[in-house]
Amino acid sequence: MSANPNPNPSFDECRWIINIRRTLEEELESDTDFPVCIFSVPKTLRSSDPDAYTPQQVAIGPYHSWRPELYDMEMYKLTVAKRAQRHINGDHKFQYVVDQLKEVDLKIRACYHKYLNFSNEALAWMMAIDASFLLEFLQIYTIEEDKLTTTYSSRSMSHLLDNGGTKAAHNAILGDVVMLENQIPLFVLRKIVEVQYSSLELADDMLQYMLMGFCEELSPFKMMKDLPMIDISECTHLLDFLYDTIVPKAELNSEVTEDVQYQGDENQPKEADTDDPVYINYFFILICKLHSMLDIGPIRLIKKLLLSRPAKFFLKLPWTILSKLPGLSILAKPIQYYNEENQSHAESPSRRHMNKPPLVEEIAIPSVTELAKVNVHFSATVGNISTFCFDTKTATLHLPTINFDVNTEVILRNLVAYEASNASGPLVLARYTELMNGIIDTEEDVKLLRENGIILNRLKSDAEVANLCNGMNKSIRLTKVPHIDKVIGGVNKYYNSQWKVKFRKNMKVYVFGSWKCLTLLATIMLLLLMTLQAFCSVYSCRNFKFISNSDRLVS
């Protein structure tokens, strides 16, 4: 049997050819030329936490529409479509909405990164039904004149949706509607609202109130009271609107004009390598050269005897006994590490690298606990990421207040995935997650930030927040954002200038870093004492009389 040339049996070649031919024959007007804005999550990000990018309750849009485990919500979608039909202006039926969406079929398809294997009719019906469901869900958060109001709500969906957002199904839907692969173009929502209100201006105002209320409820960051209104026509979908409230476009534009290769303060002294200081290496190289120069005659025989197995056993035996003593047990670990390191040098380089775990890149900044030890204060700000700064005069690190609940990880991961797929400038939000990963290592760090009002923890424990922050950027490349990197450089400069930190680093470099040299000197002294003991046992040192110069003068 010949192999099937089509790896996807559900792929309709005829429909694909028709869509391609229609796309090439019909000229899109300039105002309908729409860039791709709904992407598939990169595999490197999805592999870290697949559930954070996959809808669990409801499918919005074509990417997950045919998943059997999400079919249960289709009944509720149809119920919402019936209710939406009663709110259409005039005597129009729901078919009128579908016909309106069929006219912008090419524009809808242009928004998606994947090829949509749907007919024009099926895609229009899918968009109309999903958009109606999403609009009814968003109406829960409608804000008018700084008040939260609600409109109609289906009784059949009362167990799914509630104003307080306390039901599990409601929280699951909240997480699903912000997923990158679960988006529909925002102009589809505008068109349906326009049909209901018979005016595009009224439709934009109503949609603006919905989205602002939704983002105020769902955003991990506290929104400012005087946040400028975001133009609905410039947003591509719901996740893009949420992203603009967290990372304003003005900040993105200012970041692009700056030097993205900022590396912090150039005058800041770098910490020396405590494992292999330069002077220690030079000292051992000199010893090895002298050692090789003595590799002649009887010295070679002595070396062979000392390096033999019996000699090693007898040399290790006294040390094994001495290392058990309370006063000398502290030297056991350095000597053991020294022996293991010598053995590792005998192995091949490829084998040594193979045994080492892969390095995990992390932003170079002290943790919250370490900063608190040098009297760095932490202050909570209300607003987006642009409020992040460091005041060197008061040694205060200002961080935006962030809320951690059951949907925070899903929201942040999908925002970062969207930013990585769509952003043309620096990845501001990804850099923020790297910063949180750098300053939060343990639950004690989370506790300090929570006590200062920076973290609002609605999870079970501080340890969950620490694990969430430490796992956010394991699959994200390190990025450079001048504004954030400048603050990081200021924090590092202040931290490294403190006398406590300088003393600790000097101890590491000049004391703990030189234990190899101290161990060598101690070994030489021990050998000299053993030689003296052997000499005295043979020649009886007690018979030797040491006469001082004063005694000689007297005589």
Side-chain angles (χ1 to χ4, degrees), residues 157-173:
M157 298 181 62
S158 59
H159 68 288
L160 295 177
L161 310 180
D162 67 315
N163 299 338
T166 57
K167 298 181 179 179
H170 185 95
N171 288 326
I173 295 175

Side-chain angles (χ1 to χ4, degrees), residues 276 335-356 515-516:
D276 292 302
I335 296 298
Q336 182 181 0
Y337 177 81
Y338 180 75
N339 294 332
E340 292 177 355
E341 188 179 76
N342 290 336
Q343 293 178 1
S344 65
H345 282 295
E347 298 180 357
S348 61
S350 60
R351 185 175 179 182
R352 292 202 308 270
H353 290 295
M354 180 179 63
N355 294 332
K356 291 182 178 180
W515 65 265
K516 295 180 180 179

Side-chain angles (χ1 to χ4, degrees), residues 407-421:
N407 286 319
T408 301
E409 182 175 7
V410 173
I411 297 169
L412 290 178
R413 283 184 176 274
N414 283 272
L415 285 170
V416 169
Y418 171 66
E419 182 183 59
S421 302

Side-chain angles (χ1 to χ4, degrees), residues 381-435:
T381 62
V382 177
N384 49 44
I385 297 179
S386 62
T387 59
F388 168 64
C389 62
F390 178 69
D391 188 354
T392 55
K393 295 181 180 180
T394 60
T396 303
L397 181 61
H398 299 272
L399 291 168
T401 302
I402 181 171
N403 174 50
F404 285 92
D405 56 23
V406 293
N407 286 319
T408 301
E409 182 175 7
V410 173
I411 297 169
L412 290 178
R413 283 184 176 274
N414 283 272
L415 285 170
V416 169
Y418 171 66
E419 182 183 59
S421 302
N422 187 62
S424 57
L427 307 182
V428 180
L429 191 60
R431 192 60 170 168
Y432 170 80
T433 60
E434 293 168 3
L435 169 69

